[in-house]
Amino acid sequence: MATSGDSDPVRRDLTDEAIRLTRLLRDLMPDDGEVSGLLAMMLLTEGRRAAGVGPDGELVTLGEQDRRPWDGDLLAEGHALVRERLTAARDGASPGRYQILAAINAVHTSASHVPDTDWAQVLALYDMLLRLDPSPVVLLNRAVALAEVDGPEAALAVVEPLEARLGGYHAFHATRADLMRRLGRGQEARSAYDKAIELAGNTAEVAYLARRRDELG
């Protein structure tokens, strides 16, 4: 992701080059599960890119995206790699961080519509990831899935204690704002959106967060 305030949210030239180099690396290391997982994660992310920014330059989150512009070829290739690693896991190979992240992306991109997302599976995969990477960012991302499975109140109970470590991270405040919004705590949601906007890395994110804040009335 680009980070300057007036930048495109995605450096497409760098993304394309990263995928090219990872393809080459996989050709050299075909049995390395993490290389395959990294490539799958990149492909599944890039496959959604066309729908990630609206015509007005605003970020479009996964839950709001029109899935028709997704790149079916990239997604199919990414899903095939994930299935390959799942077969290896059934044969006893332990999945690493990139393989789990790729599997999470595969669940998201398998759903034709947002309500069809298997959030319980996403949550289970984040539980696996936490055992490898018990970082506050993984906990934050897991909380998003937890909100869909057990509700926003349960997720907020996980998110609030992360402020000491993630207080300077815009996604923490954006996640907290969304949970507050869903719980009907409008003033707290507005304050959290304001903080997320202050810390956001580019204009696409700022536009999205400002819209969500303004929708609170």
Side-chain angles (χ1 to χ4, degrees), residues 43-130:
L43 293 169
L44 294 170
T45 301
E46 179 65 8
R48 305 194 309 260
R49 177 177 57 79
V53 178
D56 56 356
E58 180 181 319
L59 174 72
V60 182
T61 62
L62 181 61
E64 296 180 327
Q65 285 180 15
D66 177 358
R67 303 189 171 201
R68 289 172 297 180
W70 285 4
D71 188 318
D73 291 338
L74 290 179
L75 295 181
E77 184 181 357
H79 278 271
L81 288 169
V82 170
R83 288 193 297 271
E84 173 189 295
R85 297 316 309 162
L86 287 174
T87 298
R90 286 194 291 268
D91 291 338
S94 298
R97 183 175 186 274
Y98 289 130
Q99 293 169 74
I100 297 171
L101 287 170
I104 291 169
N105 275 276
V107 175
H108 282 301
T109 53
S110 293
S112 299
H113 304 90
V114 175
D116 299 329
T117 303
D118 187 347
W119 285 106
Q121 181 65 21
V122 173
L123 184 61
L125 287 165
Y126 271 117
D127 287 339
M128 291 177 61
L129 184 58
L130 271 176

Side-chain angles (χ1 to χ4, degrees), residues 173-174 176-196 209 212-213 216:
H173 297 282
R176 184 172 178 271
D178 184 65
L179 295 172
M180 292 290 189
R181 177 189 62 80
R182 292 170 64 178
L183 289 167
R185 295 161 62 173
Q187 189 56 49
E188 292 169 283
R190 176 175 288 277
S191 296
Y193 277 124
D194 285 341
K195 187 64 177 178
L209 293 166
R212 296 295 281 173
R213 178 198 61 195
L216 292 169

